[in-house]
Amino acid sequence: MFLVLLAFIASATSSSGFPRIISIFMMVVGLMLEFQKGSGLEGISQGILLILPLLCLVTLSPLLSVPLKLEGYFEAVNALLRNLIHYPRKLFAGITTSLFILSPILSLGSVRVINEFLSALKLPSAITAKSYLVGFSTAIMWSPYFGSVSLVLYYLGMPVGQYILYGIGLSLLSLIVGNFLFFIWERKHPLLKKEIPEAVLETQHRSQLIKLTMFVSILISSSLIIEHLTKWSMIVIVCVISIIQPLVWAIIKNNGWKRLYPQWITFKDVSVPIMNNEIMLFTSAGLLGHAIQDTSIANNLSYLLINIAEKSIFLFAFSVMTIILVVTFIGIHQIAVITALAMQLSPTELGISTLSLAMLLLLSWAVSSALSPFSGLNLMVSRLSGLSGVQVGLRANGLHLLILSIIGIGIFMLVA
């Protein structure tokens, strides 16, 4: 607990702006609630230890990208996107599919990588906002290497193997809807970039793209197999793989250690400091979510949602999504409200399956991350596209998120 608090303080002193303000606010409120409940230091310790696995996951997962950089996979993705510059619909599909593959491993770093490739192309802001949000938000709903999936399933006590196919299915539907809506949008807003030369997608690049897809598939499959055999938490498995995988790469490759060392220095000096906001937000939001549990507000809300679920499963799903969207839209991180709901709500009392509750919470997480102008995803896409957070979420992607929500609630009702 002491080390986590030190990490929070160190991150807070190195950060600025709204993330710093909201993190300190959530931390103070969480501490006050724990003392008000009478749990004191013991409650604070439990809240921080509950979020500790996610902090480990967020901090260590960037190590997974080391072999991708050293093997030249990013250059192959760059060649693919430049090859599609004269075909807007194919380009949009290429961006969203690349993010679908890269985001589980690189997290928000995948958006930075793709944007570096596309910065010289000077795409319209609307295309940037649409493609980045559509592609990245899919990982929030399915990837075990993503904090959202690992955290929700961790608190609900559900193995990732029992959920992942449903999550992938919902994510693929989101990709299809997003690309279909872009198809319609592009007919009215043609993209002409004839002055930019089309890159040649060489055989070597095609081979690298296939290897990249296989790499991600093997990574996910191995995690699921280990979970099935050991019954360990997926968060633990991902952290262990994040450490071991670069070491294995260094052993089997020529001059592996020599090539790995600069990447390790970059991870230590660049990648970890970049995550100051995430460390602050996750720590404070996790503590706040634990502190809210068993308060009068949480108990009354839980009682209300149980009564709603008894009358209508649809109204229950709509109410949960509305609560999460409202709370996150005013700046409270998804972890705080969704952690509180995951720990407070019992699928048995609600009369639904654990799978359906997990799907609903992760759908709400993805939609709120795209809509909230204070979420890390929305803030980054807003900065890269030059649009405001509201324009990125509501104007550019509102229809897509609405249709995704309707589809998601429909699937929730089927599996409930």
Side-chain angles (χ1 to χ4, degrees):
M1 179 186 71
F2 180 70
L3 290 174
V4 173
L5 289 176
L6 281 181
F8 175 84
I9 295 172
S11 298
T13 55
S14 303
S15 301
S16 60
F18 183 79
R20 181 182 184 180
I21 296 172
I22 194 64
S23 297
I24 294 175
F25 170 77
M26 289 191 292
M27 176 63 74
V28 171
V29 173
L31 294 173
M32 292 174 58
L33 285 176
E34 291 291 2
F35 281 108
Q36 186 178 15
K37 286 163 50 179
S39 52
L41 290 177
E42 182 180 354
I44 295 171
S45 177
Q46 291 176 356
I48 289 179
L49 290 177
L50 279 174
I51 206 65
L52 180 58
L54 183 60
L55 291 176
C56 294
L57 174 65
V58 171
T59 307
L60 293 172
S61 58
L63 288 171
L64 292 169
S65 66
V66 171
L68 301 183
K69 297 175 183 177
L70 295 176
E71 291 291 338
Y73 292 142
F74 293 162
E75 286 78 3
V77 175
N78 184 18
L80 170 66
L81 297 180
R82 288 182 174 273
N83 180 257
L84 301 175
I85 185 58
H86 297 155
Y87 312 93
R89 297 166 190 172
K90 292 182 179 180
L91 175 63
F92 188 89
I95 296 173
T96 54
T97 303
S98 297
L99 287 172
F100 178 85
I101 296 173
L102 293 176
S103 295
I105 299 175
L106 303 181
S107 188
L108 282 174
S110 62
V111 179
R112 297 190 190 98
V113 169
I114 297 297
N115 187 70
E116 287 179 7
F117 298 157
L118 300 176
S119 58
L121 304 182
K122 297 181 180 180
L123 297 176
S125 297
I127 295 180
T128 300
K130 289 175 181 292
S131 60
Y132 289 178
L133 253 70
V134 169
F136 182 87
S137 61
T138 56
I140 298 175
M141 296 183 286
W142 76 270
S143 172
Y145 285 77
F146 228 75
S148 54
V149 175
S150 296
L151 191 69
V152 168
L153 299 184
Y154 176 74
Y155 286 139
L156 293 179
M158 183 179 186
V160 175
Q162 295 180 11
Y163 165 82
I164 192 168
L165 290 180
Y166 293 90
I168 290 177
L170 184 59
S171 298
L172 290 176
L173 286 174
S174 177
L175 275 184
I176 293 172
V177 170
N179 278 270
F180 177 75
L181 291 177
F182 179 78
F183 174 84
I184 298 174
W185 181 88
E186 194 271 335
R187 295 175 65 181
K188 300 179 181 179
H189 306 81
L191 175 65
L192 299 177
K193 289 287 180 179
K194 296 298 184 182
E195 70 278 8
I196 299 177
E198 178 180 323
V200 178
L201 190 62
E202 300 177 354
T203 303
Q204 178 184 358
H205 294 144
R206 298 178 188 275
S207 175
Q208 290 291 78
L209 291 171
I210 295 174
K211 289 180 180 179
L212 174 60
T213 304
M214 291 178 61
F215 175 83
V216 176
S217 300
I218 293 173
L219 209 59
I220 302 298
S221 301
S222 61
S223 303
L224 296 175
I225 293 172
I226 294 173
E227 181 192 50
H228 177 73
L229 295 176
T230 63
K231 309 302 179 186
W232 292 350
S233 165
M234 182 57 74
I235 297 182
V236 175
I237 295 171
V238 171
C239 289
V240 172
I241 290 178
S242 299
I243 296 171
I244 292 178
Q245 184 237 17
L247 300 179
V248 173
W249 180 91
I251 293 173
I252 63 177
K253 292 292 182 176
N254 292 330
N255 296 320
W257 294 109
K258 185 177 180 180
R259 297 166 63 190
L260 180 64
Y261 182 73
Q263 297 296 325
W264 163 252
I265 298 300
T266 301
F267 168 76
K268 179 175 65 72
D269 295 339
V270 179
S271 299
V272 175
I274 283 178
M275 292 182 286
N276 281 328
N277 288 344
E278 284 84 352
I279 293 173
M280 284 192 309
L281 287 169
F282 289 1
T283 304
S284 56
L287 176 60
L288 178 60
H290 180 269
I292 292 174
Q293 187 184 18
D294 294 328
T295 60
S296 58
I297 295 177
N299 290 332
N300 290 334
L301 179 60
S302 177
Y303 179 73
L304 174 63
L305 290 175
I306 290 173
N307 288 335
I308 293 175
E310 291 176 350
K311 296 177 181 179
S312 170
I313 293 297
F314 171 78
L315 286 179
F316 167 76
F318 180 79
S319 300
V320 169
M321 290 196 69
T322 301
I323 291 170
I324 294 173
L325 288 174
V326 170
V327 173
T328 55
F329 209 84
I330 62 176
I332 304 299
H333 197 275
Q334 288 84 356
I335 291 179
V337 59
I338 292 178
T339 296
L341 289 172
M343 292 190 293
Q344 192 75 26
L345 297 177
S346 169
T348 304
E349 293 180 357
L350 294 169
I352 61 177
S353 64
T354 304
L355 170 63
S356 61
L357 181 57
M359 290 188 65
L360 177 62
L361 293 178
L362 289 169
L363 171 66
S364 302
W365 193 316
V367 173
S368 63
S369 293
L371 279 179
S372 173
F374 303 109
S375 73
L377 171 61
N378 190 294
L379 286 170
M380 175 176 288
V381 176
S382 175
R383 184 175 70 254
L384 297 178
S385 64
L387 301 174
S388 68
V390 175
Q391 288 176 314
V392 167
L394 284 174
R395 188 172 180 179
N397 295 282
L399 182 58
H400 169 252
L401 296 173
L402 176 62
I403 295 174
L404 174 62
S405 299
I406 294 172
I407 293 175
I409 291 178
I411 297 175
F412 163 80
M413 295 176 66
L414 288 176
V415 301

